[in-house]
Amino acid sequence: RSDWSSDVCSSDLQFFLVGFSFAQQPTGLSGKGQSLSSLTPPQELFQFSSKQNVIHILMDAFQSDIFQEIVEGDPEFYSDVFQGFTFFRETTGLFPTTRMSLPAIFSGKVYCNDLPIPHFLDAVRKGRTIATALYDKGYDVDFALTVGKIATPGKHTVAYTIPVPYGVTDRDYEKSNATVLFDLALFRCTPHFLKKYVYNNQEWLFQRLSVIYLGNPSSFNKDRKRASMRYFSHNAFVDDMINNLSVNRNKPVYKFIHLASTHSPYIINRDCQFAGRVLPNTRENKIIQCKCHLNHIIGFLEKLKATNIYDSSL
């Protein structure tokens, strides 16, 4: 009878926590999230102004000391490609998580744990932010986001969440995200000593096996495996920015592009190729991946120069 009572209490507590979570974030009931039709980025993301562009790129988890080490490794090259930039060596993040750092970046407001997070984020979005100020001044405001449209920091013209995997069919996208749910559910219900086999140093069980069991075994190759990794998805998005860039908007444009290829997990070797596995979270591996992605971004800057909008852009 004691065991039965314990189970009932445990179930009641879980129902209470689920109900509390939905009450805190009722948007979870409003729909299914990103629709499949939004997997393809809107063309406006690749369109720039012939008058004035403000281009704001956030490379997630890219520490300033690592940037400095990379630049000092080849000062002649980087001084040339970053001509006109100012490097602030003492720059630090305000919050340990990206979600709560973004409000500070866009509004200067600091979360002090004095009200629920959803309420704080909503107040920031509706208040004074960089994006809203520019929108009200007549700018087209475009967002390419990592953490979802719920985090849009103010008024905007276009908001797009970069999907992972990127550039795949609707069906493959559904399969990939189903494996994420399977892994999380399995991780939640397995005994503690088995959790490490499900997690497997970020090479999750179902996500690792999905190519074999959910895809066509004859098409099993590294490219399909890599497609489900955020590094390659975000790099592919940058490639599309470079290949499809056009200058055909009359209004001034502000673009915020949030990329996570510099974020863990670290999976890139010195040749900027897939290492075949998740690498240890060391400074050396982080520098390698950050440098590879930084050089990828330089390709985007070179395209801005080739289209004659680099010098007039902020």
Side-chain angles (χ1 to χ4, degrees), residues 199-237:
Y199 173 66
N200 194 33
N201 190 30
Q202 301 195 59
E203 293 193 71
W204 293 80
L205 178 62
F206 280 104
Q207 294 170 64
R208 191 170 69 254
L209 299 177
S210 64
V211 176
I212 300 174
Y213 292 106
L214 295 179
N216 182 353
S218 64
S219 66
F220 176 60
N221 55 50
K222 286 185 177 180
D223 289 334
R224 283 181 63 94
K225 182 176 181 181
R226 290 186 308 197
S228 63
M229 295 182 176
R230 188 167 52 184
Y231 177 90
F232 295 102
S233 290
H234 284 215
N235 269 12
F237 174 77

Side-chain angles (χ1 to χ4, degrees), residues 5 55 57 64 68 79 128-129 168 201 205 259 271-272 276 306:
S5 300
I55 305 168
I57 301 174
S64 55
Q68 182 172 357
S79 294
R128 292 177 56 83
T129 68
V168 299
N201 190 30
L205 178 62
L259 302 169
D271 296 323
C272 296

